[in-house]
Amino acid sequence: MKKFVLQIVVAMSVFAVSCREAAPPEPFGPVPTEAQLAWQRMEINMFCHFGPNTFTGAEWGDGTEPDSLFNPSALDCRQWVDVAEQAGMKGIILTAKHHDGFCLWPSAFSGHMVAAENDVLRQFVDACRGRVKAGVYISPWDRNHPTYGTPEYNMVFSNTLKEVHSNYGPFFEQWFDGACGEGPNGKRQEYDWPLFEGTVMDANPQCVIFSDVGPGCRWVGNEEGRAGETNWSRLHVKDGARRVDNGGCGDADGDRWIPAEVDVSIRPGWFWHKEEHPKTIDELMEIFYNSVGRNGLLLLNVPPDTRGRIPAEDSAVLVAFRQERDRVFAHDLALGAKAQGSHLKGHCYGAQNVLDTAYHTYWAATDTSAVLTLCFDSPTEFDMVVLQEYIPLGQRVCRFRIECDGQCFEGTTVGYKRIVRLPERICTDKVTFRFDGMAPPVINRIALYKR
Ligand code: FUL
């Protein structure tokens, strides 16, 4: 993580030094923290639902399952990491405790867990180290814990979080499930969110905390793999209010940077069930376009089976999914074009910057309504456009229009990344992009592809 931060600082300073003749644009509205920016750039992560449900066929265990039931016959967390790497995923989040309360590590704060010598969480973080980032799901809803539904439970849960984050962290993400039901005493819990979030951040300040409403990232509002076509990374979180109804689009005038995470399972259920099968490549590509392509991060669940391994049929489709993305995005047809657009004084903010792959170079437009044209030496064929705003300076674009060959395609937000699939292939030597922003647009990438 330190190395990554250093890279950003060095890249930004080199850029700043070469741009002395003009001050960079002021940030607009809330902006991502370094941890949120690094998180967003991961683009696709793996979710692993694994626990007693893997063995019972249930989706929500009731917490009465005997501990001995959880008994993987050939557990191999390194195989999960192999699959994630092959699929081009940058992180894995493990359900260390689901709603049944069963802990995949020996916890001092529960009576329902693995044996000390079968510490799955330890094997998981060891397997991830140096290869992919590790994240953790710890359900606040606990159908086993006797104190659930009493004020005492909040402290139990805080201690649990501290135990996990101090002994097994750092984790790049903490996943707080929004589901909240009754405990064994028939009572629901009033969660102490400030306590839970504070505990995680004290132990692990770089952790991005997921919940329905953040503070690190937010639920997109469905489990089908779809962000809103309009998707702001800002959200209103006034006075700690937990409003969950606009996760798919966010709030144009939101007061906090809380980007959308799109969680969806490769199979019908979250846990592995013998009779279920993974989605097809086409379905996964559709999900990719509707999540990463709509300013979201895709968290794709790939559940290990009763052996404690990811089944071959899931890894095969994941590899094919990766190959298809590699194929589609192999050649940026905009490279070599000539870009023109009015920009802030100083050559370093010019339109040509949208065509390089360096993250920290960008076109900084002068007006809230801005036009950029790409001209080609010869007619160029494409049917997909990728747009990226430079989000370290905030999310600005509220409307865009792509004009080419007498046709016009319109959209609303861009954010970290927006992929526009055109209904048909275009062949042209000139494309015009019109952007309307809440502040002058700052665009770091425009790319064209042929699917
Ligand atoms: C939901 C849970 O109830 C499901 O079991 C699953 O963990 C999913 C990711 O979140 O709220």
Side-chain angles (χ1 to χ4, degrees):
M1 175 57 78
K2 272 196 188 126
K3 194 171 153 213
F4 176 75
V5 170
L6 191 69
Q7 279 169 353
I8 292 189
V9 171
V10 169
M12 291 183 97
S13 341
V14 169
F15 188 52
V17 167
S18 63
C19 288
R20 280 231 179 87
E21 76 262 44
E26 288 291 316
F28 172 78
V31 295
T33 62
E34 281 168 4
Q36 285 174 313
L37 179 62
W39 173 90
Q40 188 90 55
R41 294 182 71 190
M42 295 170 84
E43 295 197 359
I44 309 184
N45 292 326
M46 189 190 270
F47 215 177
C48 278
H49 276 65
F50 188 47
N53 296 340
T54 310
F55 299 83
T56 59
E59 276 289 315
W60 284 3
D62 65 10
T64 61
E65 301 80 11
D67 291 0
S68 57
L69 192 106
F70 178 82
N71 188 22
S73 56
L75 178 66
D76 185 2
C77 299
R78 285 166 311 184
Q79 187 253 359
W80 309 355
V81 178
D82 293 343
V83 174
E85 279 188 333
Q86 283 159 16
M89 294 158 151
K90 303 289 187 290
I92 309 180
I93 299 178
L94 171 64
T95 53
K97 177 172 88 108
H98 202 252
H99 309 324
D100 52 30
F102 187 80
C103 301
L104 295 187
W105 77 100
S107 174
F109 304 101
S110 172
H112 193 34
M113 61 187 121
V114 290
E117 63 279 15
N118 295 328
D119 188 340
V120 179
L121 189 56
R122 178 67 63 209
Q123 293 183 43
F124 169 68
V125 295
D126 286 349
C128 291
R129 192 165 300 115
R131 296 181 67 192
V132 293
K133 291 186 189 177
V136 72
Y137 167 120
I138 309 175
S139 169
W141 184 22
D142 190 319
R143 302 178 87 181
N144 172 273
H145 207 282
T147 66
Y148 188 91
T150 71
E152 202 189 326
Y153 176 77
N154 283 334
M155 210 52 225
V156 171
F157 190 62
S158 168
N159 286 332
T160 307
L161 292 170
K162 191 170 173 188
E163 176 179 63
V164 169
H165 282 268
S166 314
N167 298 345
Y168 296 85
F171 292 104
F172 80 96
E173 183 170 341
Q174 161 68 49
W175 224 85
F176 282 132
D177 200 302
C180 168
E182 291 173 359
N185 52 12
K187 296 202 174 119
R188 282 170 82 92
Q189 185 73 30
E190 283 294 324
Y191 296 135
D192 187 344
W193 290 111
L195 172 69
F196 303 162
E197 290 164 12
T199 305
V200 173
M201 294 314 271
D202 281 351
N204 185 0
Q206 293 302 315
C207 191
V208 171
I209 299 180
F210 168 98
S211 86
D212 286 349
V213 292
C217 59
R218 69 176 197 265
W219 188 43
V220 77
N222 65 73
E223 294 178 338
E224 287 135 35
R226 187 173 20 85
E229 279 201 60
T230 297
N231 182 12
W232 294 100
S233 289
R234 291 187 287 267
L235 202 65
H236 273 307
V237 196
K238 283 187 197 133
D239 309 321
R242 299 184 72 83
R243 204 186 133 196
V244 296
D245 54 350
N246 56 348
C249 335
D251 295 312
D253 57 352
D255 55 331
R256 297 277 297 277
W257 185 271
I258 305 179
E261 182 177 76
V262 181
D263 61 315
V264 58
S265 186
I266 196 167
R267 287 167 171 245
W270 290 101
F271 287 86
W272 177 85
H273 306 296
K274 196 164 66 246
E275 67 286 1
E276 294 185 350
H277 299 284
K279 294 183 165 58
T280 63
I281 305 169
D282 287 350
E283 288 172 311
L284 293 180
M285 284 304 288
E286 193 60 29
I287 286 172
F288 174 77
Y289 289 126
N290 292 338
S291 54
V292 177
R294 290 183 180 176
N295 189 31
L297 179 138
L298 171 57
L299 179 61
L300 182 60
N301 181 63
V302 185
D305 60 17
T306 48
R307 296 170 306 164
R309 289 167 181 248
I310 291 168
E313 58 176 327
D314 299 64
S315 55
V317 79
L318 282 171
V319 168
F321 174 41
R322 164 83 182 271
Q323 286 168 346
E324 179 61 3
R325 294 190 327 270
D326 286 352
R327 183 190 71 76
V328 167
F329 295 102
H331 303 291
D332 175 4
L333 301 157
L335 295 177
K338 189 160 171 29
Q340 283 182 320
S342 60
H343 60 87
L344 278 191
K345 194 165 166 290
H347 70 274
C348 48
Y349 305 123
Q352 205 67 23
N353 287 334
V354 302
L355 299 178
D356 69 31
T357 53
Y359 189 72
H360 297 286
T361 63
Y362 49 79
W363 168 55
T366 41
D367 299 303
T368 50
S369 284
V371 183
L372 184 146
T373 51
L374 292 184
C375 294
F376 301 90
D377 288 341
S378 55
T380 299
E381 253 194 346
F382 61 92
D383 60 10
M384 193 158 64
V385 180
V386 176
L387 304 171
Q388 289 194 262
E389 280 187 83
Y390 186 65
I391 56 169
L393 292 174
Q395 189 180 354
R396 297 150 179 255
V397 174
C398 45
R399 208 167 27 244
F400 66 86
R401 214 175 135 100
I402 305 166
E403 296 168 358
C404 44
D405 216 20
Q407 304 198 50
C408 156
F409 308 94
E410 289 180 316
T412 52
T413 53
V414 173
Y416 166 71
K417 187 175 269 190
R418 178 64 191 265
I419 304 178
V420 185
R421 286 178 288 170
L422 307 182
E424 59 193 65
R425 200 165 274 189
I426 299 288
C427 185
T428 184
D429 56 6
K430 184 176 171 190
V431 192
T432 302
F433 298 87
R434 296 184 193 278
F435 296 101
D436 286 311
M438 297 173 88
V442 179
I443 307 289
N444 63 340
R445 189 78 200 270
I446 296 181
L448 306 176
Y449 298 96
K450 204 154 48 175
R451 308 204 280 281

